Amino acid sequence: MNPQIRYSEEQALLRGEARRWLDERFPIARVRELAESEAGEDPLDWKQLAGLGWLGLVVPESFGGAQLGATDLAVLMEETGRRLLPSPLLPSTLAALALVTDGSDAQRKRFLPAIAAGEIRAVYAGSASVWGASSADALIVPRGGGLEIVERSSGGLETAPEIVLDRTRRSARVTRNGVALGADAPSDRLAAMACLALAAEMAGGADALLALTCAYAATREQFGKPIGSFQAVKHPLVNVLIGVESLRSLVYAAATAFDANSPDAETLARMAKALACDVYVFAASRAVQLHGGYGFTLDCDAHLYLKRAQASRPAFGDAMAQRRWLADRLPGAAPL
């Protein structure tokens, strides 16, 4: 853990409780079981997420939530990424963030209490391909500088499950009255918060891969010694460690900037998402490589993380898109 990152007592408690619950509820065997199931998730887990208060983490207290900040959100997302949480918590949290950031008073009053209580499952829909859409009651769609709420009960909404690389997180193609669901660009703040939340989740996944590979290198022997004692194994693991700690530092710098209403928050969030794309895939590829021949079989857990890493890269803009956004805003830069 990066010693420069300081957590409040409440954030340390949130991290500890989240890790304990996720470790108990989602051992890797259960993650595999859910990934191979048709639905991809267990409805009982959603009820427990509501009971834990995670569905209302970013929802204001006046609407029944915990009204916690960006740093608290980063803590929770990092822990869920560590366990490859097979549940649409992230798109639901983004839906709540969208309502808080860009929703009307009437939309907030109607949907935020129900989302926090787990009574309505709403997911953020920034395109026609939507995470968690198959089981959603409502889609939160950026439209005209505000939001459009598309409820399943209104009729005309159809979802077709997509063939996905990462079966621990499902998506569906959404149409309304036979037409692909379109969306306008989200507000700058919402787009940046989405980058931050996903980057935090990816940091957790990369950190889990480092722990997984170090544990294997400490027990797998060659020539009578653990393979972790060889420089050819140590060096790539050190590079992964540097990447993970750099990413976590950037994630929490962005989160702290959001909580302080700093004008640098969006820049830091996009830097974090760009770095997350590189670090997560690098950590996963080295994990597969350092597990040797076993690493190239699907029995190796590193593959679950590799698929999550690859599938997370394009969401809300891949590394190239984020760096293009950053380059365009350099002083004196001409548009690329």
Side-chain angles (χ1 to χ4, degrees):
M1 179 179 294
N2 190 325
Q4 301 303 315
I5 298 175
R6 297 283 186 267
Y7 303 100
S8 68
E9 184 177 344
E10 291 78 11
Q11 288 162 356
L13 182 62
L14 173 62
R15 176 182 294 281
E17 288 300 306
R19 185 171 298 190
R20 179 192 60 76
W21 185 80
L22 289 163
D23 286 350
E24 291 177 358
R25 189 71 179 169
F26 295 101
I28 202 69
R30 184 160 187 263
V31 172
R32 283 185 178 275
E33 178 185 336
L34 290 171
E36 293 168 1
S37 69
E38 182 176 353
E41 61 174 301
D42 183 342
L44 292 177
D45 294 329
W46 195 254
K47 292 182 179 178
Q48 294 205 17
L49 291 177
L52 289 165
W54 294 2
L55 301 182
L57 189 83
V58 299
V59 174
E61 288 182 348
S62 56
F63 294 111
Q67 196 170 336
L68 297 182
T71 308
D72 307 280
L73 175 62
V75 167
L76 181 59
M77 287 297 117
E78 185 181 352
E79 293 305 317
T80 61
R82 197 183 304 279
R83 276 292 172 186
L84 296 173
L85 177 65
S87 178
L89 175 63
L90 177 58
S92 175
T93 300
L94 294 178
L97 277 171
L99 286 162
V100 172
T101 303
D102 301 327
S104 66
D105 289 341
Q107 290 171 337
R108 295 189 190 103
K109 185 176 181 179
R110 179 180 175 192
F111 288 99
L112 284 177
I115 290 174
E119 296 168 354
I120 289 180
R121 189 182 295 206
V123 295
Y124 176 74
S127 67
S129 177
V130 182
W131 285 338
S134 294
S135 58
D137 302 307
L139 307 181
I140 310 298
V141 186
R143 187 83 70 199
L147 298 175
E148 179 186 4
I149 315 295
V150 182
E151 295 184 72
R152 190 178 295 277
S153 59
S154 64
L157 183 67
E158 295 185 354
T159 54
E162 295 180 313
I163 298 174
V164 292
L165 174 65
D166 171 25
R167 288 184 57 80
T168 65
R169 177 150 56 201
R170 304 298 175 84
S171 64
R173 201 75 180 168
V174 180
T175 58
R176 181 167 52 180
N177 299 322
V179 178
L181 186 71
D184 295 338
S187 67
D188 291 344
R189 181 175 177 80
L190 179 58
M193 285 294 290
C195 287
L196 170 65
L198 184 54
E201 185 196 275
M202 296 169 81
D207 198 30
L209 277 165
L210 179 62
L212 175 73
T213 313
C214 285
Y216 180 79
T219 55
R220 179 74 168 92
E221 293 188 355
Q222 283 288 336
F223 311 113
K225 296 180 180 179
I227 62 171
S229 64
F230 303 127
Q231 286 191 344
V233 174
K234 287 180 180 176
H235 287 181
L237 285 176
V238 168
N239 288 335
V240 173
L241 173 63
I242 292 171
V244 170
E245 291 303 328
S246 299
L247 173 56
R248 294 186 69 244
S249 296
L250 202 45
V251 164
Y252 285 100
T256 303
F258 270 112
D259 287 338
N261 290 318
S262 167
D264 296 330
E266 183 176 7
T267 297
L268 290 166
R270 290 183 177 276
M271 289 171 64
K273 177 58 171 49
L275 185 60
C277 294
D278 297 339
V279 168
Y280 201 177
V281 172
F282 178 75
S285 63
R286 291 302 176 273
V288 169
Q289 181 186 49
L290 295 175
H291 277 79
Y294 169 65
F296 287 87
T297 71
L298 294 180
D299 291 335
C300 179
D301 295 334
H303 282 276
L304 294 173
Y305 290 90
L306 177 60
K307 291 174 182 176
R308 174 67 74 94
Q310 293 285 17
S312 298
R313 290 173 76 182
F316 312 119
D318 61 11
M320 182 177 291
Q322 302 299 343
R323 287 173 179 135
R324 183 180 296 115
W325 185 95
L326 293 163
D328 287 347
R329 284 153 183 80
L330 287 173
L336 294 176

